Amino acid sequence: MSQGHHITSIKTLSIVIGALVILTGLTVFTSRFDLGVFTVPLALAIATTKAALVVTIFMALRWDNKINAAIFGIGILFVIVFISFVLFDTAFRGDLPNTTKGTIMEMEASEAEMQSREPDASTRQFNRTPE
Amino acid sequence: MDNASTDRPAHLKHYFVSSDQQFDAAKMGMWLFLVTEILLFSGMFVAYTVFRVWYPEVFAHSAELLDWKLGGLNTIVLLASSFTVALGIHYAQKDNQKGLVLNLILTFVFACTFLVVKYFEYTSKFEHGVFPGAAFDPHGVSHGVDYALYNIPFAAQFFSIYFVMTGIHGFHVLVGMGLFIWITRKAIRGDFSSEYYTPVENCGLYWHLVDIIWIFLFPLLYLI
């Protein structure tokens, strides 16, 4: 091509495939151990590193027209929005045990009603000492 | 202007000014398509995330039933195929037709290998009643694994997600194989050169994306 596209050297491509294979081995190796809460983040971190290598070198986004990087970046942004906004709902369901069937105004009305039926404050103690 | 138009190469469409403009437009279109592909798969990754957050121990237990050795082998196979595609583009840019054709054929062979391994994985699951959806009924013993132990609540959700995600990914591999037959024939015919290799470039981008999806599927489904 007249402008001259970036040609990635065979050496660079070989280093990347080597790194990808090593990272695959690493993710298998680390999955052998019980890392508790770090299990998922570590596996995702290794997978993201591998994906980043493929995108930047194999797909040559690093040397490509910046508009393509912008398109890809916006796509990834929407994936993050998609996953995190769904989790705002699903991950916190059942965290509100004190929810009620009525509206706030109905609740306030019934509370005032209970309050008005309340007998003398001094009689409210259960374990009064005998006089 | 009239003189210039007679010099136009055969691959250059009349509505583009130059080969570079045509190449950039095609490549940008490909990236836009890849974003729609990413969003297609992200819907399934969301389903995976939601169920994993709800039932982490079920997912960790069910993943043990998947053979990480076969999954790992397929990971290496797909990574190798990504490497050969990248090499193919490298040779196309250097006008090395032999190198291009050889690497495109290698990529096709790796894609076949991937699907053959996937076939053996699926059939070994089907034999023991590990199906997606309502048909999920694991039973029997093989290689010291008692499948009935995996018949626990919400294991069916894990395996449904597994079959749908790997199934749609496998379909993309199949489409990729069709694309590679097409461009390999064109490459053998000598259609590509450093002046024009847009279909190789864009099929390569598609293939790398299929590889990236698998890079995430392998640890999430087989390992953790």
Side-chain angles (χ1 to χ4, degrees):
Chain A
M1 295 260 171
S2 49
Q3 269 184 8
H5 291 149
H6 173 84
I7 301 178
T8 314
S9 70
I10 292 178
K11 192 183 158 205
T12 309
L13 296 176
S14 305
I15 291 169
V16 170
I17 184 68
L20 289 170
V21 171
I22 290 167
L23 284 168
T24 305
L26 184 68
T27 193
V28 170
F29 177 71
T30 55
S31 73
R32 306 284 100 192
F33 304 101
D34 183 17
L35 300 169
V37 291
F38 296 108
T39 309
V40 179
L42 181 67
L44 280 178
I46 295 172
T48 307
T49 310
K50 288 167 72 182
L53 279 174
V54 174
V55 169
T56 52
I57 315 284
F58 279 179
M59 296 169 97
L61 202 54
R62 191 177 159 186
W63 303 282
D64 204 356
N65 199 331
K66 290 285 170 277
I67 189 73
N68 293 336
I71 290 168
F72 178 70
I74 291 167
I76 296 305
L77 186 71
F78 275 96
V79 172
I80 293 167
V81 168
F82 192 4
I83 292 181
S84 52
F85 278 49
V86 169
L87 281 178
F88 286 156
D89 169 10
T90 60
F92 299 103
R93 283 185 192 174
D95 279 5
L96 300 168
N98 58 343
T99 49
T100 52
K101 281 179 185 163
T103 63
I104 290 172
M105 282 175 77
E106 280 167 357
M107 290 312 296
E108 280 172 353
S110 85
E111 214 165 278
E113 157 86 12
M114 302 267 265
Q115 207 68 232
S116 68
R117 276 196 269 158
E118 195 76 30
D120 184 19
S122 63
T123 63
R124 256 195 272 173
Q125 282 179 304
F126 292 108
N127 51 351
R128 275 176 297 166
T129 47
E131 283 155 36
Chain B
M1 197 65 195
D2 287 332
N3 287 343
S5 65
T6 55
D7 299 336
R8 291 168 73 91
H11 65 260
L12 184 57
K13 297 279 187 274
H14 67 88
Y15 40 82
F16 286 111
V17 171
S18 65
S19 286
D20 276 324
Q21 191 202 25
Q22 179 171 293
F23 179 85
D24 287 343
K27 204 168 168 182
M28 185 177 145
M30 195 64 202
W31 274 103
L32 282 167
F33 170 70
L34 293 188
V35 167
T36 69
E37 288 280 62
I38 291 168
L39 290 172
L40 161 74
F41 277 97
S42 74
M44 293 177 273
F45 278 108
V46 165
Y48 174 91
T49 310
V50 167
F51 276 98
R52 191 177 177 105
V53 168
W54 278 345
Y55 312 107
E57 60 295 312
V58 177
F59 269 49
H61 179 66
S62 301
E64 289 168 15
L65 201 53
L66 298 178
D67 191 341
W68 69 267
K69 285 172 196 157
L70 290 180
L73 172 68
N74 261 351
T75 307
I76 302 296
V77 166
L78 268 197
L79 289 175
S81 71
S82 257
F83 177 61
T84 52
V85 164
L87 275 181
I89 291 165
H90 172 93
Y91 286 125
Q93 288 170 322
K94 293 209 159 172
D95 287 312
N96 184 336
Q97 197 201 350
K98 228 182 213 171
L100 170 63
V101 171
L102 175 71
N103 278 290
L104 288 178
I105 291 171
L106 276 176
T107 309
F108 182 80
V109 170
F110 284 133
C112 289
T113 313
F114 180 88
L115 284 184
V116 168
V117 173
K118 208 83 217 117
Y119 167 80
F120 283 115
E121 279 191 81
Y122 275 6
T123 48
S124 75
K125 294 286 169 288
F126 292 158
E127 270 172 35
H128 293 281
V130 180
F131 288 108
F136 183 73
D137 176 32
H139 57 76
V141 177
S142 101
H143 301 290
V145 178
D146 185 1
Y147 279 72
L149 288 176
Y150 294 88
N151 198 359
I152 54 173
F154 301 106
Q157 273 80 347
F158 173 84
F159 286 103
S160 294
I161 288 169
Y162 163 76
F163 280 116
V164 170
M165 293 191 88
T166 56
I168 294 179
H169 177 267
F171 175 72
H172 279 79
V173 174
L174 208 59
V175 169
M177 285 166 67
L179 291 172
F180 284 118
I181 291 175
W182 171 58
I183 56 171
T184 306
R185 285 182 58 192
K186 280 172 86 78
I188 291 169
R189 213 163 58 193
D191 287 5
F192 302 128
S193 66
S194 61
E195 291 294 316
Y196 173 70
Y197 60 97
T198 314
V200 187
E201 175 82 21
N202 285 347
C203 289
L205 287 177
Y206 170 84
W207 193 251
H208 291 309
L209 187 87
V210 173
D211 184 27
I212 288 170
I213 301 293
W214 185 260
I215 284 174
F216 282 97
L217 286 181
F218 171 57
L220 290 178
L221 292 171
Y222 289 77
L223 295 179
I224 58 175

